Amino acid sequence: MKNFNVNKDGFYGDFGGAFIPEMLFPNIDELQKNYIKISESKEFKKEFNQLLHDYVGRPTPLYYAKRLSEKFKTKIYLKREDLCHTGAHKINNTIGQILLAKKLGKKRIIAETGAGQHGVATATVCALMGVECVIYMGEVDISRQAPNVARMKMLGAKVRPATSGSKTLKDATNEAIRDWISNPVDTHYIIGSVVGPHPYPDMVARFQSVIGYETKKQLLKFENTENPTHVIACVGGGSNAAGLFYPFLNNKNVNIVCVEAAGKGVHSGESAATSILGTEGIIHGSKTLLMQTKDGQITEPYSISAGLDYPGIGPMHANLFRSKRGEFISIDDSDAMKWGLILSQMEGIIPAIETSHAFAVLDKMKFGKNDIIIFNCSGRGDKDLDTYINYFKL
Ligand SMILES: *Cc1c(COP(=O)(O)O)cnc(C)c1O
């Protein structure tokens, strides 16, 4: 049987690695040599688990969705990451990385952000730890995402605009990398998903794997088994999905389902369905599937949900796709929005629009009455209320 975890060189099958400029070598090398040693130490685990419990509010519930289960004649459970402090799973990773940064003696944190969710999760843990925080954000995104910019500032972070190129996420990432090259000794760069050069994808997956491990324990009480038949999550970069899938990667009896954003339609020219539309290339220091033109220019992705419009997917997911270990489904804006409303009215849970994409597979896949399906409810919909209001004319 194949192993779907990272190998010792930082690859998942054909994907991953660390394709970085020479000047980033010392930073990446330091992380590669230390991330497992530190994060697996007893002292680290104690601190990490304590903060996840007391500050984030873990364990998050595993909730049996009774009405949905009855409607679809199967067993549906929701892993409630929407109940985490700051409203989504992202904080699991930022807590892990700031603890790691402190153990490495770092005094300053930088991060990139697109819609601002990762920026807020990073600014939050920097406030918690009293560490200086600089967030790079495209100038266009700064004007589109005013509430999150305000949150970051209120939390004490400096928000620096990226003014080159399309003034969005990839330009912010370039600025963050430039900063890191100039400040290699005292600064740690917190990447927000399972993307970037090795060891980031594996490091972030490990910090997020608390989602999957909790699920196993909780499911045992409900169903007398630790293993569901299906685990389903939306994929932007892939971190909430990686966290849920992690303990099941090498158990072929558990079906893995990745849900991507089809935007206005997979072939409309306005989508973020990276696995279907992507080709092999290098983005943010790792080899993966990404949307690009024939001559290697990155195509601007589109989705109604800001958290899913990333032009690549993490290398773990690229490998799940190519090896067919994972099933990939793309959901367009209108189906996602429809499911945001269904989940709200059938279970009393208003999901983030990213999360709504995952639930829409209930219309696309057939499930048996003895199947046990876990949906990762990655975030709550408060941040998306304006989009829901305008869309449904509420
Ligand atoms: C950021 C975000 C995502 C997408 O990021 P992943 O790394 O793919 O998990 C999904 N859901 C929510 C609620 C988010 O905030």
Side-chain angles (χ1 to χ4, degrees), residues 42-183:
K42 231 176 161 172
E43 190 193 330
F44 181 96
K45 281 188 176 168
K46 191 172 166 222
E47 247 178 294
F48 183 52
N49 291 331
Q50 187 97 45
L51 281 173
L52 289 182
H53 182 272
D54 299 343
Y55 188 72
V56 176
R58 306 204 71 93
T60 59
L62 184 69
Y63 163 68
Y64 177 67
K66 188 158 173 285
R67 292 188 65 207
L68 263 189
S69 297
E70 277 166 8
K71 182 172 159 79
F72 288 91
K73 300 188 172 53
T74 187
K75 292 186 233 179
I76 297 171
Y77 290 86
L78 273 50
K79 182 59 174 160
R80 299 289 311 277
E81 294 304 296
D82 57 315
L83 296 177
C84 289
H85 177 45
T86 68
H89 65 288
K90 285 192 173 73
I91 191 130
N92 302 323
N93 169 48
T94 55
I95 295 251
Q97 285 202 48
I98 196 139
L99 286 176
L100 182 82
K102 286 192 79 168
K103 301 270 184 241
L104 289 171
K106 307 294 175 183
K107 308 263 180 284
R108 180 174 175 268
I109 294 293
I110 57 171
E112 87 295 340
T113 196
Q117 294 301 111
H118 174 55
V120 170
T122 302
T124 300
V125 298
C126 288
L128 174 71
M129 296 292 175
V131 175
E132 184 188 347
C133 180
V134 177
I135 305 289
Y136 289 93
M137 191 169 184
E139 208 168 44
V140 168
D141 290 333
I142 287 180
S143 59
R144 283 194 294 210
Q145 308 288 345
N148 276 341
V149 175
R151 282 185 188 103
M152 287 183 262
K153 288 183 176 167
M154 185 144 182
L155 290 160
K158 290 195 194 77
V159 181
R160 294 219 180 124
T163 55
S164 62
S166 55
K167 305 181 175 60
T168 58
L169 179 61
K170 70 171 168 23
D171 313 292
T173 304
N174 290 339
E175 291 294 327
I177 289 173
R178 213 164 290 150
D179 180 314
W180 208 23
I181 289 173
S182 318
N183 299 285

Side-chain angles (χ1 to χ4, degrees), residues 88-90 117 193 234-240 307-308 352 354-355 378-379:
H89 65 288
K90 285 192 173 73
Q117 294 301 111
S193 190
C234 64
V235 173
S239 69
N240 86 88
L308 298 185
E354 291 86 354
T355 313
S378 60

